[in-house]
Amino acid sequence: MSPALAAGLQLAFVVVVLTVVYVPLGDYMAAVFTRPRHLRVERAIYRVCRVDPHADQTWSGYALSVLGFSAASVLFLYVLQRIQGVLPLSGGLSGVSPAVAFNTAVSFVTNTNWQSYTPETTMSNLTQAAGLAVQNFVSAAVGLAVAIALIRGFVRVRGSGQIGNFWVDLVRGCLRILLPLSLLVAVILLTQGVIMSFHTGFASTALDGTAAHNALAPVASQEAIKELGTNGGGILGANSAHPFENPTPLSNVVEILAILIIPVSLTRTFGTMVGSRRQGLTLLSVMALLWGSMLAFVSWAEQHVHGVAAQAAGAMMSGPMMEGKEVRFGIPGSVLFAVSTTGTSTGAVNSAHDSYSAAGGGALMLNMLLGEIAPGGVGTGLYGILVFAIIAVFVGGLLVGRTPEYLGKKLRRREVTMAALAVLVMPALVLVGTGITVILHSTPGFLTNGGAPGSPGSIHGFSEVLYAFASASNNNGSAFGGLTATSDWLQSSLGIAMLLGRFLPIIFVLALAGSLAAQKKTPAGAGTLPTHGAMFSGLLVGTIVLVAALTFFPALALGPIAEALS
């Protein structure tokens, strides 16, 4: 089978499956968050936690619940890592160091899953299952809850200012959506050979006759929620490139589908809840256009040999750029995975992003810098693109002199301010963090690429730092592997970027939801700008690209663009 045919079949399979599940899954998720009936197990959880499931919250109460739950999660996960050496299933591993434990706790609670450690030699099976895997569920459910709260801001018609109950949304997201889908995906992965074991490993003899130790773990169950929750933290160090996590081309496609299925279907959920399916399809069309454009560009870039990584592998060789990619996936399976994981907040990898061509690696970085809204993470992608939609409506209204309204709610100074602040958080964190890091005298010691200013090595070293802060601030978690992020500065600065990049936008989005919910709906008039169809899709794409271009073009010009042109 030719590479072109393989690429076409994989892409067609992904698109067909997403098309088939789009309506039923999207409508099911809308029903989960709108039906008043609670399941028996949910009522038991509410009683134990002393939660009134019938009490709605204002945006401030909702935000305090999110922050309180997340703070408790960070503390629990930190303590669990520190004491894992005296707990069962430790496998002889000692407690995690304070810096790594802090960075990891923040990373998994913020849905970033940045890993500055080797999992199989650092985390016990108990820590993986009871700590990291649990956060894979609840951190994804938090993002989903915030997205639903914002939708309620558009839907509420009485002007009460209440946007739902965080604890109900959290429990329903975990038990009714993430858990059933994880069971299904885990079973499929098991049929493909993904391992599931609580043994720590087994001994073997390598081809050269030397003794080797092969790590084992309960991978299948955690691999499923790793992808479905757009988490990305691998239970094994090689992540989804490891044959125990992702053994076959079919398992690779299943994992890609798991990454995309909830964010894509949430646009249907949005359309169903606001009473206009065309609104959801408009957002989906924008996501599809950006995702498809990135996929086409990176696929083209990886068929050519350019940049530092290519030169290290032998720049004069012919053929596609296979350095850093698994042969069993090839260019099509690697690129499809890479574009999907950087277009969401997943961060899982089945190839080394640092080994991509300068243009291809730069495009993956840009995919994150767009705000990860193509299609984005679980919940985060939807509320991210809705924030851009609000800005697009406001700008469009100013351009043509029409009333800035979106779904029957007026966009006044407060709403636009909250949307603008939510958009500006990530660029500020990326640019400030990168700027400080590259001027530190210690930074070159943590880069595998260096050299005189302006040399290809120094340019790629800058790209590695820029990628790290883009990943942390967008709660992605993937990395250019040439950066050794174990220094105190990088552990702390990236941890702070993860925290602020996660929770500041959530606070602004919830404040926006509360402001919208406090308004009464107004009927559309002759001066209302239509927010569905090709014209608004074009306006929204232009707004997203323009914001990213104006903000990040100078930084990209110093890194991947300069490298690609060198």
Side-chain angles (χ1 to χ4, degrees), residues 184-559:
L184 175 61
V185 172
V187 170
I188 297 174
L189 293 178
L190 282 171
T191 66
Q192 294 302 299
V194 177
I195 65 170
M196 187 69 186
S197 173
F198 275 96
H199 292 289
T200 57
F202 63 93
S204 65
T205 302
L207 293 177
D208 60 359
T210 59
H213 180 270
N214 302 275
L216 294 175
V219 173
S221 60
Q222 296 181 46
E223 189 75 11
I225 187 56
K226 177 185 103 173
E227 313 295 13
L228 279 167
T230 57
N231 296 285
I235 195 169
L236 298 172
N239 208 281
S240 292
H242 199 295
F244 287 174
E245 288 198 26
N246 189 9
T248 67
L250 180 56
S251 69
N252 190 60
V253 172
V254 170
E255 292 188 15
I256 293 170
L257 282 168
I259 292 171
L260 298 174
I261 191 170
I262 295 179
V264 167
S265 299
L266 275 174
T267 59
R268 171 75 179 193
T269 303
F270 170 72
T272 300
M273 290 182 67
V274 301
S276 174
R277 303 276 170 64
R278 296 178 67 184
Q279 298 289 342
L281 289 174
T282 298
L283 299 183
L284 178 61
S285 68
V286 172
M287 292 177 175
L289 177 61
L290 294 173
W291 181 79
S293 299
M294 285 295 180
L295 182 62
F297 181 81
V298 178
S299 297
W300 170 83
E302 294 311 293
Q303 296 295 331
H304 300 76
V305 183
H306 296 293
V308 174
Q311 293 168 11
M316 301 307 295
M317 66 183 181
S318 61
M321 183 64 186
M322 277 299 296
E323 200 275 336
K325 300 178 180 65
E326 293 295 316
V327 175
R328 67 183 184 277
F329 303 139
I331 296 290
S334 300
V335 169
L336 186 57
F337 199 107
V339 171
S340 299
T341 198
T342 53
T344 61
S345 61
T346 309
V349 294
N350 73 348
S351 57
H353 290 187
D354 202 16
S355 295
Y356 276 57
S357 64
L364 298 180
M365 195 185 309
L366 179 60
N367 215 15
M368 294 186 291
L369 296 176
L370 289 175
E372 292 184 330
I373 40 79
V378 172
T380 61
L382 181 61
Y383 69 66
I385 200 169
L386 285 174
V387 166
F388 274 111
I390 287 172
I391 295 175
V393 170
F394 181 74
V395 172
L398 292 178
L399 289 175
V400 300
R402 292 189 174 185
T403 305
E405 297 177 3
Y406 191 41
L407 301 176
K409 298 297 179 79
K410 294 184 181 296
L411 303 181
R412 304 163 302 185
R413 184 179 66 178
R414 176 176 173 80
E415 288 79 18
V416 176
T417 299
M418 291 300 105
L421 289 173
V423 168
L424 292 174
V425 168
M426 181 269 291
L429 293 173
V430 172
L431 297 178
V432 172
T434 302
I436 295 175
T437 302
V438 296
I439 64 174
L440 295 177
H441 294 296
S442 60
T443 298
F446 296 96
L447 299 173
T448 55
N449 293 282
S455 66
S458 67
I459 293 172
H460 194 72
F462 174 82
S463 296
E464 290 173 348
V465 176
L466 180 62
Y467 192 105
F469 280 93
S471 178
S473 303
N474 281 287
N475 303 128
N476 184 275
S478 63
F480 273 3
L483 176 67
T484 304
T486 55
S487 69
D488 291 342
W489 164 253
L490 287 173
Q491 291 278 24
S492 58
S493 62
L494 291 173
I496 292 171
M498 294 175 209
L499 282 171
L500 297 181
R502 172 72 164 181
F503 294 112
L504 282 182
I506 282 179
I507 292 172
F508 294 136
V509 166
L510 290 175
L512 172 62
S515 182
L516 294 170
Q519 295 185 37
K520 293 184 178 180
K521 272 205 169 187
T522 57
T528 302
L529 180 70
T531 54
H532 55 76
M535 183 184 71
F536 184 72
S537 296
L539 178 62
L540 182 52
V541 170
T543 301
I544 294 168
V545 174
L546 186 62
V547 168
L550 292 176
T551 305
F552 294 111
F553 180 78
L556 292 171
L558 293 173

